[in-house]
């Protein structure tokens, strides 16, 4: 087997392994992004335990098939993939921010917690707070009634004194 083919097989195996352990995946068209913006994006993603890959579509397609992921059309055109093992929403947020600045960037597909997410829902997901933010909001709602009750009792005791 030639060295080139072996390198491609190794790349498919590497990306397949990353996909299998990912919390979320964003597939998008990156054509037109400058090298500086790509480097900046990669730096942000690295800090959040995520990686961006730019490879031939054939390698991406084989990696997706190897993980038995159904529902993603065969990738065509300039494609990048972000695989996140940390914050599930961060990759969506970063691409959404880039989409505001660069109108030529488009979502191709996304996977969140093993479920394929429609292109129309990816921007909505990007607008959600991260998991810690959602837990904080939930706890705030749960403690609001107790806090209001305690405040009411406090005011009643002040009136009686």
């Amino acid at each position: 087997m030639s060295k080139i083919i072996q390198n491609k097989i190794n790349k498919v195996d590497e990306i397949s392994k990353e996909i299998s352990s990912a919390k979320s995946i964003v597939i998008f068209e990156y054509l037109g992004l400058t090298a500086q913006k790509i480097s900046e994006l990669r730096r942000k993603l690295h800090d959040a335990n995520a990686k961006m890959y730019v490879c031939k579509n054939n390698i991406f397609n084989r990696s997706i098939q190897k993980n038995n992921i159904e529902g993603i059309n065969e990738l065509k055109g300039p494609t990048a993939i972000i695989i996140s093992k940390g914050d599930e929403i961060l990759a969506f947020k970063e691409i959404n921010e880039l989409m505001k600045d660069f109108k030529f960037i488009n979502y191709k597909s996304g996977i969140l917690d093993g479920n394929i997410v429609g292109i129309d829902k990816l921007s909505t997901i990007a607008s959600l707070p991260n998991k810690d933010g959602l837990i904080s909001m939930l706890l705030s709602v749960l403690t609001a009634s107790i806090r209001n009750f305690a405040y009411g009792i406090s005011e009643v005791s002040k009136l009686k004194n």
Side-chain angles (χ1 to χ4, degrees):
M1 187 176 328
S2 76
K3 189 175 182 178
I4 294 171
I5 292 174
Q6 187 59 47
N7 287 342
K8 289 180 181 181
I9 291 171
N10 292 343
K11 194 68 173 175
V12 167
D13 290 341
E14 175 191 347
I15 294 174
S16 294
K17 183 179 174 190
E18 293 287 326
I19 287 173
S20 67
S21 62
K23 289 186 176 180
S24 67
I25 298 170
V26 180
I27 303 169
F28 66 101
E29 185 176 331
Y30 71 93
L31 183 66
L33 270 181
T34 63
Q36 179 183 2
K37 282 291 181 185
I38 290 174
S39 295
E40 186 180 312
L41 175 61
R42 283 188 166 153
R43 223 174 289 116
K44 286 179 184 177
L45 293 169
H46 180 73
D47 292 342
N49 199 14
K51 287 184 181 179
M52 178 176 153
Y53 292 93
V54 176
C55 294
K56 291 188 169 273
N57 287 330
N58 194 25
I59 291 174
F60 286 146
N61 289 328
R62 288 175 191 243
S63 299
I64 289 167
Q65 287 172 352
K66 193 170 183 178
N67 281 285
N68 298 320
I69 298 172
E70 301 290 326
I72 295 180
N73 297 333
E74 189 167 315
L75 300 174
K76 294 180 178 150
T79 304
I81 185 169
I82 297 175
I83 300 172
S84 178
K85 293 183 180 181
D87 185 354
E88 297 94 341
I89 306 294
L90 181 81
F92 296 98
K93 286 183 178 293
E94 290 298 331
I95 297 305
N96 218 40
E97 285 300 314
L98 278 176
M99 288 172 79
K100 290 177 185 174
D101 296 335
F102 303 101
K103 302 296 181 201
F104 50 80
I105 296 175
N106 297 312
Y107 287 119
K108 288 189 174 187
S109 188
I111 301 172
L112 183 61
D113 289 328
N115 299 314
I116 295 180
V117 180
I119 294 172
D120 55 328
K121 295 180 183 175
L122 293 174
S123 293
T124 305
I125 289 171
S127 67
L128 292 173
N130 64 11
K131 192 174 187 177
D132 293 337
L134 289 171
I135 290 171
S136 173
M137 288 178 181
L138 176 64
L139 291 175
S140 177
V141 168
L142 292 175
T143 60
S145 59
I146 297 169
R147 186 176 50 245
N148 290 340
F149 180 71
Y151 178 73
I153 290 175
S154 155
E155 290 300 311
V156 169
S157 70
K158 286 180 186 176
L159 288 174
K160 289 188 176 184
N161 289 336

